[in-house]
Amino acid sequence: MPQIITKGYKALLAEAEAAVETLSVEEARALHGRDDVVFVDLRDPRELEREGRMPEAFHCPRGMLEFWIDPESPYAKPVFSQDKRFVFFCAGGWRSALAALTAQEMGLKPVAHIAGGFGAWKKAGAPFDAAESKDAGGKN
């Protein structure tokens, strides 16, 4: 018998967008570099290598988020215990919306995410560190 999905990704995203603050790139840029804000990059390592990085962003692969936030987890990261604002982003804004909702439901606050993610950040000309090219020996 085939699986019947009762709540698809569109519904999950709509719920997240309704519950979590969404920042435009311009709003996020105004926060970038502030001591009271942590930008959290949810992309996987291959995406960072391929697309580049936001300067000073903390990298947390999406699959580890819940474990890194919870102070009772053996994988807890001190960054999430700080009294700061957390701005999540991914490549296009979907994973970050869901992650921000999860973080908020876990008690992390305040949280937000960037509409359009890192792709929109780069497209708007916001600062980023270019992807590191593979060695000149042609191992691309």
Side-chain angles (χ1 to χ4, degrees):
M1 179 164 124
Q3 296 290 331
I4 298 172
I5 302 302
T6 58
K7 186 188 284 190
Y9 79 93
K10 291 178 185 177
L12 292 170
L13 286 171
E15 289 175 4
E17 292 286 353
V20 172
E21 180 181 10
T22 301
L23 301 174
S24 67
V25 170
E26 295 76 25
E27 292 169 321
R29 262 182 110 159
L31 298 173
H32 190 252
R34 286 180 36 171
D35 290 338
D36 61 340
V37 178
V38 175
F39 282 79
V40 181
D41 190 340
L42 299 160
R43 297 173 301 146
D44 72 41
R46 291 177 303 265
E47 290 175 287
L48 275 65
E49 290 172 11
R50 187 174 57 241
E51 301 297 327
R53 299 171 179 253
M54 179 188 293
E56 302 172 19
F58 176 75
H59 178 235
C60 174
R62 174 61 188 97
M64 293 303 295
L65 181 69
E66 293 84 350
F67 304 102
W68 286 13
I69 288 175
D70 186 349
E72 293 184 21
S73 165
Y75 303 105
K77 298 292 183 188
V79 66
F80 290 112
S81 67
Q82 298 178 64
D83 185 19
K84 297 192 178 192
R85 182 177 189 182
F86 294 88
V87 178
F88 294 91
F89 67 95
C90 60
W94 290 1
R95 286 174 288 175
S96 60
L98 298 175
L101 178 61
T102 296
Q104 185 169 281
E105 289 175 342
M106 291 180 72
L108 195 68
K109 59 186 176 183
V111 302
H113 87 107
I114 302 173
F118 188 68
W121 180 266
K122 281 177 67 173
K123 186 176 181 181
F128 72 96
D129 296 328
E132 295 180 17
S133 61
K134 299 294 181 188
D135 68 56
K139 295 182 181 180
N140 293 337

